[in-house]
Amino acid sequence: MIEFIQQFNPVTQAFFATLFTWGVTAAGAALVFFTRAVDKKLMDSMLGFAAGVMIAASFWSLLAPGIEMADQLGQTPWLTAVIGFMGGGIFMRTIDAFLPHLHPSLSIEKSEGIKTSWQRSTLLVLAITLHNIPEGLAVGVAFGAVAAGLPAASIGGAIALAIGIGIQNFPEGSAVSMPLRREGMSKWKSFLLGQSSGIVEPIAGVAGALFVLKMQNILPYALCFAAGAMIFVVVEELIPESQRSYENIDMVTMATMLGFSVMMILDVSLG
């Protein structure tokens, strides 16, 4: 598989990889064709698993390679890591503060960002879309980094990241479509809105790859930036959302650790 992917340029690789992650989002949204609701314990566990995958991906696929690249390029590794990591978090916090969105388990009165009269369905899609921006960006930057030829970046590691992001996108797609279906929306409309939250990933992926190809000196910053943006999403949304039901907290914690382990295995074995 790696040999096949290597025949394409990094931008095309990032595009195909993020099409895959979008496709898994659509697969999660497609659950509405089979049921109106997913068991609460299962959904919480899936969200916890997704959080574990993103935490592991942030370190193994982004932050650690970024620090190694900074050292290879003669930068101060810890300073590069801090600037990039915190920059990613600040970027996501700024978008979070202004973009109208609604977390799936909350009432519309608790929507965040600039107040609007937009429908609940639109706000739900925007919430998951907000999450998918750093995910698509991370995949794009990872494939773009391979073209720099630095030892810290590998095509296997980029593929592992795309697979991990894809896996954790499954519950995110269902987290949009399921609430809409429960509220009486048709199966097809619930599905279309659920999968639409993943459209931003190919866009962000291609943009990330193009950006680092044009400015390879900022590669370490870009990788750490993507890591910071992903950790913001995990801490601000996925972990709190997965642990709203306190009785499920032990199961969710183990699911989070399992997700971390799966992503770690993918990155170490393929990277």
Side-chain angles (χ1 to χ4, degrees):
M1 180 178 67
I2 291 178
E3 290 77 11
F4 173 76
I5 293 174
Q6 284 179 318
Q7 66 181 308
F8 300 102
N9 66 63
V11 176
T12 304
Q13 292 170 353
F15 178 67
F16 286 150
T18 47
L19 281 182
F20 162 74
T21 60
W22 177 18
V24 181
T25 303
L31 287 180
V32 293
F33 292 114
F34 307 99
T35 180
R36 277 182 173 267
V38 175
D39 180 76
K40 178 63 176 169
K41 288 185 179 180
L42 178 59
M43 179 58 75
D44 288 347
S45 296
M46 288 196 299
L47 290 172
F49 182 89
V53 169
M54 289 186 70
I55 293 170
S58 296
F59 176 74
W60 294 99
S61 299
L62 298 170
L63 199 57
I67 292 171
E68 187 175 340
M69 284 184 190
D71 185 52
Q72 293 167 355
L73 292 173
Q75 301 172 1
T76 305
W78 66 265
L79 183 61
T80 298
V82 168
I83 292 174
F85 186 81
M86 290 304 300
I90 292 169
F91 172 76
M92 290 303 298
R93 176 66 188 100
T94 302
I95 296 179
D96 188 71
F98 290 99
L99 181 70
H101 62 284
L102 176 67
H103 299 307
S105 63
L106 301 180
S107 63
I108 195 167
E109 292 77 18
K110 295 184 179 180
S111 63
E112 300 180 23
I114 297 173
K115 297 304 177 183
T116 72
S117 58
W118 293 352
Q119 294 182 345
R120 175 180 172 84
S121 58
T122 302
L123 296 173
L124 285 171
V125 171
L126 287 175
I128 305 300
T129 300
L130 176 63
H131 298 176
N132 288 339
I133 293 173
E135 295 168 10
L137 180 65
V139 173
V141 169
F143 278 99
V146 177
L150 296 174
S154 69
I155 188 67
I159 292 172
L161 177 61
I163 293 172
I165 294 296
I167 291 172
Q168 66 88 40
N169 273 357
F170 188 87
E172 290 191 354
S174 60
V176 176
S177 62
M178 284 299 175
L180 299 178
R181 179 60 179 151
R182 286 197 300 270
E183 292 170 9
M185 189 173 288
S186 70
K187 292 179 181 180
W188 271 105
K189 190 170 183 180
S190 299
F191 165 72
L192 290 173
L193 287 174
Q195 64 82 35
S196 67
S197 62
I199 293 176
V200 71
E201 291 204 9
I203 298 171
V206 169
L210 284 171
F211 185 68
V212 297
L213 285 174
K214 297 294 184 181
M215 305 179 67
Q216 292 191 2
N217 285 337
I218 67 163
L219 254 176
Y221 293 98
L223 288 165
C224 296
F225 180 96
M230 288 177 62
I231 289 295
F232 179 92
V233 169
V234 171
V235 177
E236 195 267 346
E237 169 59 15
L238 287 181
I239 290 179
E241 188 69 30
S242 68
Q243 298 189 355
R244 290 191 190 278
S245 298
Y246 187 76
E247 62 269 20
N248 298 334
I249 195 168
D250 290 333
M251 182 186 300
V252 171
T253 300
M254 293 308 299
T256 303
M257 295 184 70
L258 177 62
F260 186 99
S261 298
V262 168
M263 185 64 225
M264 181 170 59
I265 291 170
L266 283 172
D267 193 274
V268 174
S269 61
L270 293 178

